[in-house]
Amino acid sequence: MSILLDENTRVIVQGITGRDGSFHTKTMVQDGTNIVAGVTPGKGGQSMDGITVYNSVEDCLKEHEVDASVIFVPAPFAAGAAREAIDAGIALVVCITEGVPVQEMTELYHRARKKGSVLIGPNCPGLISPGKSKIGIMPLRIHKAGGIGVISRSGTLTYEVVNELTLAGMGQSSCIGIGGDPIVGSGFVDLLERFEADTDTTAVVLIGEIGGEAEEEAALYIKEKMTKPVVSFISGRSAPKGKRMGHAGAIISGGKGTAEAKVAAFIAAGVDVADKPDEIPGLLRKKMI
């Protein structure tokens, strides 16, 4: 099994005719994703590499059954695109776009939960179930099908950790980049619950970073609810306090959100914390004996 997507997931691309949308649509198709249509307002009726483009999600749903949407829409319009997909009842909405205003994300967060959609992102690389399907920009070649679930706030660190796992012969069930913004559609706890319930996921790697309290909340959930081994890595340990980093959520304020606090919370929850990404496979092996 995997979580959130598999080889049967039918995907549309919002913003399919744009630079990023068209490029990554081709890559997703090459990687085996079942792209059934695209949406770009004003481009309805066109075709991109044999994929029909519609003016709206509503128009698209008149012709296609859709399970998921991935959004490659410029930041000023990305929240509107996500709102359109959520209101149309699409079960999984993945927003790759960076720069969505926090105030708009606050509304989208609650809207998605009220409507029953799973929102991943924004400002994220998407998700992949190796050997089955991919929604987003993750490079397929470094992945390998297997039983390790991966959740991360950092896109590039996701790639680094996945590469280390694959080189160590540890395949992945699903890998999800949740995004580095202060407010994201789905957090660590949401996805830990899914990995805990997934019969084919044998262990989980959680990649956190400084800022916010998502890692501390995840540690509490792991301590109280998780039966599967979890290994973590926290990035930004040497970052100066009070200075905003590349990720909008990566800021330490009022003594909260420090790497030290997150590491301490995980250790208290029985989670081994790696000092470097290449230590993760070894820590996993010890936990899985």
Side-chain angles (χ1 to χ4, degrees):
M1 288 177 64
S2 53
I3 67 169
L4 295 173
L5 81 161
D6 59 25
E7 62 273 25
N8 298 314
T9 304
R10 295 161 293 198
V11 182
I12 62 170
V13 181
Q14 291 179 257
I16 192 171
T17 59
R19 181 195 62 182
D20 294 340
S22 59
F23 175 82
H24 289 293
T25 296
K26 292 175 184 175
T27 303
M28 286 189 285
V29 169
Q30 290 169 1
D31 290 345
T33 306
N34 183 18
I35 305 290
V36 297
V39 173
T40 298
K43 301 289 181 69
Q46 296 185 13
S47 175
M48 199 206 76
D49 294 336
I51 300 171
T52 304
V53 181
Y54 295 87
N55 284 320
S56 67
V57 173
E58 183 180 7
D59 289 347
C60 176
L61 293 182
K62 292 175 182 175
E63 303 295 331
H64 302 275
E65 292 189 33
V66 176
D67 305 303
S69 174
V70 57
I71 295 169
F72 290 98
V73 173
F77 312 107
R83 194 174 297 115
E84 184 183 4
I86 292 167
D87 288 348
I90 294 178
L92 175 62
V93 180
V94 182
C95 185
I96 306 298
T97 306
E98 181 178 1
V100 177
V102 171
Q103 190 171 5
E104 293 203 73
M105 259 314 297
T106 303
E107 190 272 333
L108 281 177
Y109 174 89
H110 292 289
R111 195 182 197 92
R113 291 178 184 248
K114 183 178 180 181
K115 298 280 187 178
S117 295
V118 175
L119 175 61
I120 302 293
N123 189 17
C124 78
L127 62 160
I128 182 170
S129 295
K132 297 178 179 176
S133 186
K134 178 184 91 173
I135 300 178
I137 63 176
M138 294 165 161
L140 174 66
R141 64 184 181 278
I142 64 171
H143 293 80
K144 170 187 173 72
I148 308 297
V150 179
I151 320 170
S152 175
R153 286 174 69 182
S154 166
T156 48
L157 267 175
T158 309
Y159 308 155
E160 186 171 352
V161 169
V162 164
N163 192 50
E164 293 291 344
L165 291 171
T166 298
L167 290 174
M170 295 179 163
Q172 306 91 47
S173 55
S174 295
C175 307
I176 301 110
I178 63 174
D181 283 2
I183 298 177
V184 292
S186 298
F188 287 131
V189 173
D190 298 311
L191 300 169
L192 285 169
E193 288 175 346
R194 291 179 180 272
F195 278 129
E196 174 69 9
D198 179 33
T199 54
D200 285 343
T201 296
T202 53
V204 177
V205 176
L206 188 155
I207 306 164
E209 61 185 14
I210 57 173
E213 297 179 47
E215 289 79 3
E216 288 87 338
E217 293 168 1
L220 183 61
Y221 174 82
I222 292 166
K223 184 177 182 179
E224 295 181 347
K225 302 288 181 62
M226 286 288 288
T227 62
K228 298 178 180 179
V230 182
V231 168
S232 179
F233 174 77
I234 304 296
S235 68
R237 295 193 190 191
S238 60
K241 294 181 179 179
K243 184 176 182 179
R244 190 177 293 277
M245 300 294 110
H247 275 188
I251 184 170
I252 298 170
S253 58
K256 295 183 177 179
T258 64
E260 292 80 5
K262 295 174 188 301
V263 170
F266 278 131
I267 291 174
V271 175
D272 286 348
V273 182
D275 290 325
K276 299 183 294 182
D278 62 4
E279 294 177 357
I280 289 174
L283 293 177
L284 274 174
R285 283 198 181 93
K286 292 180 183 176
K287 300 281 283 188
M288 294 171 69
I289 293 176

